[in-house]
Amino acid sequence: MARVTVEDCVDKVENRFELVLLAGHRARMIASGSPLTVARDNDKNPVVALREIADETVHPDDLKEDLIHSLQKYVEVDEPEQDLQLLAEDSAEEDNGVAFDRMSEEDLLRGLENMVPPDKQDDF
């Protein structure tokens, strides 16, 4: 890598390891077709990424968030509980007016205990 460019970037990203991660991520973004924010000047993608960070045309915080998002395999969506209750009410209305009984686990167990098993039949 270009030493002058790395030294210019250390002011923006103090941790050199984080700088390498961010510049590598930005270089992969450039390779996949992301538009450049500085002139290429016949430089390779990692050098262009470092120059973008040094010139502050790309914010390191934005790169960090994008890097984290790209590495996540499962993105948890926070949905307020009120929305879930509204969804349950809407789905109950869509059941063509069929009302379902809400039974507690204790009521279910009590009902199962009162059931009489059928007589055993020999089907041999």
Side-chain angles (χ1 to χ4, degrees), residues 87-108:
L87 271 168
E89 290 173 3
D90 289 343
S91 65
E93 290 175 3
E94 291 176 3
D95 292 333
N96 298 327
V98 176
F100 293 98
D101 292 332
R102 300 290 180 207
M103 184 182 291
S104 69
E105 185 176 348
E106 294 170 355
D107 294 337
L108 178 65

Side-chain angles (χ1 to χ4, degrees), residues 3-122:
R3 177 172 285 293
V4 176
T5 309
V6 172
E7 290 173 357
D8 292 340
C9 293
V10 172
D11 297 340
K12 283 45 171 198
V13 181
E14 294 178 7
N15 186 345
R16 287 179 183 254
F17 178 73
E18 186 176 348
L19 174 63
V20 170
L21 286 176
L22 296 179
H25 177 66
R26 178 63 183 151
R28 285 188 294 277
M29 289 173 60
I30 292 170
S32 66
S34 181
L36 301 175
T37 58
V38 296
R40 182 174 280 279
D41 292 336
N42 203 19
D43 290 329
K44 295 185 179 182
N45 293 340
V47 177
V48 172
L50 287 170
R51 286 182 39 225
E52 287 178 343
I53 293 171
D55 292 344
E56 293 183 345
T57 57
V58 175
H59 273 289
D61 293 334
D62 295 339
L63 280 176
K64 187 175 183 178
E65 289 295 321
D66 191 44
L67 174 64
I68 291 170
H69 184 70
S70 70
L71 295 174
Q72 287 179 339
K73 294 181 181 178
Y74 175 75
V75 179
E76 185 175 321
V77 178
D78 292 333
E79 293 183 14
E81 292 181 17
Q82 294 173 353
D83 291 343
L84 293 176
Q85 289 174 353
L86 291 175
L87 271 168
E89 290 173 3
D90 289 343
S91 65
E93 290 175 3
E94 291 176 3
D95 292 333
N96 298 327
V98 176
F100 293 98
D101 292 332
R102 300 290 180 207
M103 184 182 291
S104 69
E105 185 176 348
E106 294 170 355
D107 294 337
L108 178 65
L109 289 174
R110 209 173 304 123
L112 289 173
E113 288 173 353
N114 292 335
M115 290 180 63
V116 178
D119 293 334
K120 291 185 180 181
Q121 297 177 354
D122 292 331

